Amino acid sequence: MTIAGRTRKHGMTQSPSIRRGRPRSFDRDKALREAMLLFWENGYEGTSMAQLVEAMGIVSPSIYAAFGSKEDLFREAVRLYVATEVEPAWQALDEITDVQQAVRTMLLGSIEAFVATRPQRGCLVVLGSGLLGGADDTIRDFLREQRQHFRDRLVKCLQRAIDAGTFRPDNDPWVLADCVLAFFAGLTIEAVDGAEKAALRESAELFCLRMFDER
């Protein structure tokens, strides 16, 4: 029997719009991106579940149900960050033959990502674990693995240039890659400190000019 759009069952009225036992639906991709932005700004340790609930627009049980633990959510957020914010710049290392131009393009593209948000966030993979704090070791190890992937790509790019004869054969690609990553880390800290994009770009141009000067 129905009364005013409601279904009467066993003496109780129930709205047909209520679906008991089912979690509230939400846009998982959108929620993950909001989590990524929050982790990117505050790091893993600096981001609380209360902040995640507010940013993602869902309650903590739904977060755990959809993503697992906070650590699992962070790992997925970092992978999204790498795919959407890092890869557009770093693919230059695979696509551009000239090593100086490849590294220059990667650095300038990374700077665009560093300063694209307010506040400026730098690089999540470099700063995400709170390098000088008490971050969970598994998180620190995870981010170290991500940075190792960056290093491997740099080494391959540099080794190709050496093999092609466009870079001196006595250059050690691993040492050079560490130099580039050290400069990259410096850029991300400068970005977080509020350095202007023009200043960061000027530094990157000068670095590449000196780094790859074969005279």
Side-chain angles (χ1 to χ4, degrees):
M1 177 179 179
T2 60
I3 301 176
R6 296 185 179 184
T7 301
R8 181 176 295 278
K9 184 177 182 181
H10 303 303
M12 299 176 63
T13 59
Q14 294 180 327
S15 170
S17 63
I18 296 177
R19 299 181 178 181
R20 298 184 182 278
R22 295 186 181 183
R24 177 186 176 188
S25 62
F26 65 95
D27 186 329
R28 190 181 190 279
D29 292 339
K30 183 177 182 295
L32 178 60
R33 179 159 183 83
E34 292 300 327
M36 181 200 79
L37 291 171
L38 193 61
F39 283 128
W40 192 3
E41 181 177 355
N42 299 321
Y44 178 75
E45 288 292 324
T47 300
S48 68
M49 282 303 300
Q51 289 173 310
L52 288 167
V53 166
E54 181 177 359
M56 298 171 75
I58 54 178
V59 295
S60 54
S62 294
I63 294 176
Y64 289 123
F67 299 99
S69 66
K70 177 186 172 184
E71 180 175 332
D72 292 333
L73 174 59
F74 179 76
R75 289 171 183 265
E76 193 167 344
V78 168
R79 293 188 182 101
L80 176 63
Y81 168 80
V82 170
T84 60
E85 309 299 327
V86 173
E87 186 57 29
W90 279 72
Q91 66 185 4
L93 300 179
D94 307 321
E95 297 175 352
I96 300 177
T97 302
D98 182 89
V99 65
Q100 179 174 338
Q101 185 62 24
V103 173
R104 174 183 176 275
T105 301
M106 179 274 290
L107 291 175
L108 295 181
S110 297
I111 289 169
E112 292 294 329
F114 293 167
V115 303
T117 58
R118 291 291 179 271
Q120 295 179 179
R121 289 180 168 89
C123 178
L124 174 59
V125 175
V126 173
L127 301 176
S129 67
L131 296 179
L132 300 180
D136 189 288
D137 285 344
T138 59
I139 292 297
R140 187 170 296 178
D141 289 344
F142 170 68
L143 291 178
R144 186 180 295 115
E145 291 171 2
Q146 299 300 311
R147 292 193 293 274
Q148 184 61 51
H149 293 325
F150 293 176
R151 181 177 288 103
D152 291 343
R153 291 179 75 173
L154 275 166
V155 169
K156 289 180 181 178
C157 176
L158 293 160
Q159 187 62 60
R160 283 198 307 270
I162 294 171
D163 294 341
T166 59
F167 215 33
R168 288 200 314 264
D170 59 337
N171 279 310
D172 185 330
W174 291 97
V175 173
L176 293 174
D178 284 341
C179 289
V180 174
L181 284 177
F183 180 76
F184 180 89
L187 284 178
T188 192
I189 293 172
E190 287 294 305
V192 170
D193 284 346
E196 295 291 334
K197 180 169 71 172
L200 295 173
R201 288 178 61 92
E202 186 176 357
S203 296
E205 296 278 10
L206 181 59
F207 172 79
C208 289
L209 183 64
R210 296 289 185 262
M211 178 83 176
F212 300 104
D213 185 356
E214 288 288 86
R215 291 179 296 174

